Amino acid sequence: MSWTHEFKEALKTNEDLKNFFDQDFPEINYPLFIPQVFASKILEAGPDSALWKQFLPNEQEDNQTLGRLDPIGDKVHAKNNQLIHRYENRVLFTPTTVCPILCRYCFRKNELSLKDDIFDQKFTEAKKYLKENPSINEVIFTGGDPFILSNEKLAFYIQEFSEIDSLKYLRFHTRTPIILPSRIDEGLLSILISAKHLFKRSLIMIHVNHVSELTDDVAEAIEQLTNEGIEVYSQTVLLKGVNDSTDALFDLFTKLSDCKVKPYYLHHPDEARGTMHFYLPLEEGRKIVASLHNKLPGWALPQYIIDIPGGEGKVPAFNPESFEFSGVLINRLGEKIKIN
Ligand code: SF4
């Protein structure tokens, strides 16, 4: 079955869920979307699994008293032209609001469900902005998920960016190889190979949170990328009840390394509204990461980072000098900030 067909046949309503899983789920105020091929994996894994908790609705999402609508300050840095310019030399490019699945813990779940204007289709203005700001040398495709774009659209954007001399690096943030591995087809592979030649480096950053997501079909899709010499990295969100243990992360990073994927980022969860049941204190994250340092070699160990709430950007979340597990961060100005 083609990936577009799998995408169209996704479960989108509570009734679809009830028919597929043979049980009721709470009616919540956020949209649902799970391709059936992936829903079968969730069903097989069962209600206590990392897959079930990440993708099936939970009544705690409707708690609107905790968390932030824009936890990492996307709006503060949005340029109203599909670009979010937070760091001097790189921009986020948001060409789509569409994802291969809707993750219940998504840090952008409020912006995506409200179709926030950071996703406005203003590509001509985006290109003009990039030309006028030559200190930007990297474009990071995000969204939504860029691999849900058609091959034609992706090829168009890559070609357009390749015509801007100051751009040297491309990065694609995606969950699609995990959710719809059939998307890694010949057409997409040839586009990614051409990107590799058009830019100094072109990286795929796969979002993956638990070893159970790396089934054989997913590993084969990743192998197609790495066999073509495409650089593949991973990013993982630390999530309470899903992967908040040394063993769970050890298994994940070991399997990723075996798949020739470099574990790159372990994100402390953002304080996004509707996701706070996945949140855990910084002290707990630091303890888990400290024990991972004893178990994994440096090349299999991602950097543990946190976005300072409100838009100040990413800083390292692990402080190996002290091992105090204090809950205090140091921002880019050297100021101490207490995080709950
Ligand atoms: S794929 Fe990424 S952007 Fe889309 S819902 Fe999941 S976490 Fe959010």
Side-chain angles (χ1 to χ4, degrees):
M1 198 190 297
S2 72
W3 75 273
T4 44
H5 187 75
E6 286 180 32
F7 186 78
K8 279 192 198 123
E9 297 293 302
L11 310 175
K12 302 180 191 76
T13 65
N14 264 55
E15 195 169 338
D16 292 345
L17 292 187
K18 183 173 176 165
N19 291 336
F20 193 93
F21 289 95
D22 197 23
Q23 72 174 75
D24 289 315
F25 290 89
E27 292 279 351
I28 49 161
N29 274 324
Y30 289 103
L32 305 167
F33 192 89
I34 308 176
Q36 291 195 35
V37 179
F38 197 80
S40 299
K41 295 182 181 178
I42 299 174
L43 184 61
E44 197 183 331
D48 290 328
S49 67
L51 297 187
W52 193 286
K53 290 175 191 167
Q54 288 183 87
F55 303 110
L56 285 168
N58 182 310
E59 65 276 358
Q60 294 182 80
E61 291 174 55
D62 274 342
N63 182 339
Q64 295 293 300
T65 57
L66 299 174
R68 299 163 181 250
L69 289 175
D70 179 11
I72 65 168
D74 281 341
K75 270 185 183 266
V76 178
H77 300 284
K79 297 297 169 196
N80 257 349
N81 55 9
Q82 295 179 285
L83 298 176
I84 299 172
H85 192 182
R86 200 185 322 264
Y87 307 101
E88 189 187 352
N89 63 350
R90 55 201 187 273
V91 286
L92 294 176
F93 173 54
T94 56
T96 177
T97 56
V98 181
C99 293
I101 197 164
L102 288 176
C103 312
R104 308 324 306 169
Y105 59 85
C106 176
F107 71 111
R108 229 172 241 153
K109 75 189 288 178
N110 299 289
E111 293 156 88
L112 287 170
S113 63
L114 295 171
K115 299 262 185 281
D116 198 287
D117 56 12
I118 60 172
F119 301 104
D120 267 2
Q121 299 294 304
K122 293 177 182 163
F123 186 66
T124 314
E125 287 173 38
K127 204 174 163 192
K128 183 164 171 275
Y129 184 87
L130 292 169
K131 280 185 174 162
E132 288 171 355
N133 290 275
S135 60
I136 299 168
N137 61 20
E138 180 176 16
V139 170
I140 302 167
F141 284 69
T142 180
D145 190 314
F147 284 0
I148 290 303
L149 295 170
S150 67
N151 287 343
E152 292 72 27
K153 198 89 184 171
L154 263 179
F156 166 78
Y157 286 133
I158 291 168
Q159 180 60 38
E160 291 282 308
F161 289 140
S162 75
E163 290 165 11
I164 301 175
D165 291 342
S166 44
L167 292 182
K168 295 201 291 185
Y169 313 116
L170 279 194
R171 211 192 303 175
F172 299 91
H173 284 185
T174 179
R175 207 153 179 21
T176 299
I178 304 294
I179 309 300
L180 289 172
S182 55
R183 173 66 181 108
I184 311 300
D185 55 16
E186 275 185 25
L188 181 61
L189 278 173
S190 74
I191 288 168
L192 296 172
I193 292 165
S194 81
K196 201 176 70 160
H197 297 300
L198 287 168
F199 293 84
K200 287 214 179 293
R201 289 182 77 175
S202 169
L203 321 176
I204 313 282
M205 187 78 68
I206 296 178
H207 174 167
V208 52
N209 295 334
H210 195 270
V211 70
S212 59
E213 296 169 34
L214 294 167
T215 43
D216 289 347
D217 51 345
V218 171
E220 280 163 25
I222 292 172
E223 194 178 1
Q224 289 191 69
L225 296 167
T226 55
N227 279 350
E228 295 294 347
I230 295 167
E231 295 184 69
V232 186
Y233 292 73
S234 70
Q235 52 181 338
T236 295
V237 189
L238 183 60
L239 295 169
K240 187 166 136 190
V242 172
N243 59 9
D244 57 335
S245 73
T246 307
D247 286 348
L249 293 176
F250 174 83
D251 291 347
L252 172 62
F253 300 139
T254 301
K255 175 84 182 189
L256 282 168
S257 301
D258 292 350
C259 291
K260 300 188 174 65
V261 175
K262 165 75 184 102
Y264 181 65
Y265 270 158
L266 172 65
H267 296 265
H268 192 73
D270 297 310
E271 296 177 12
R273 189 166 298 173
T275 72
M276 291 304 284
H277 50 297
F278 289 108
Y279 192 81
L280 71 166
L282 189 57
E283 293 95 313
E284 281 181 32
R286 284 177 164 174
K287 285 178 188 167
I288 293 166
V289 172
S291 54
L292 270 182
H293 277 239
N294 293 330
K295 297 185 79 169
L296 285 170
W299 51 265
L301 197 62
Q303 191 183 6
Y304 180 38
I305 49 150
I306 181 167
D307 261 281
I308 295 182
E312 284 192 52
K314 289 182 181 59
V315 289
F318 187 58
N319 178 355
E321 284 81 26
S322 70
F323 283 85
E324 286 178 359
F325 314 118
S326 65
V328 171
L329 292 173
I330 298 176
N331 71 11
R332 285 161 191 272
L333 301 173
E335 298 158 334
K336 287 190 173 176
I337 297 174
K338 176 85 174 85
I339 298 284
N340 290 323

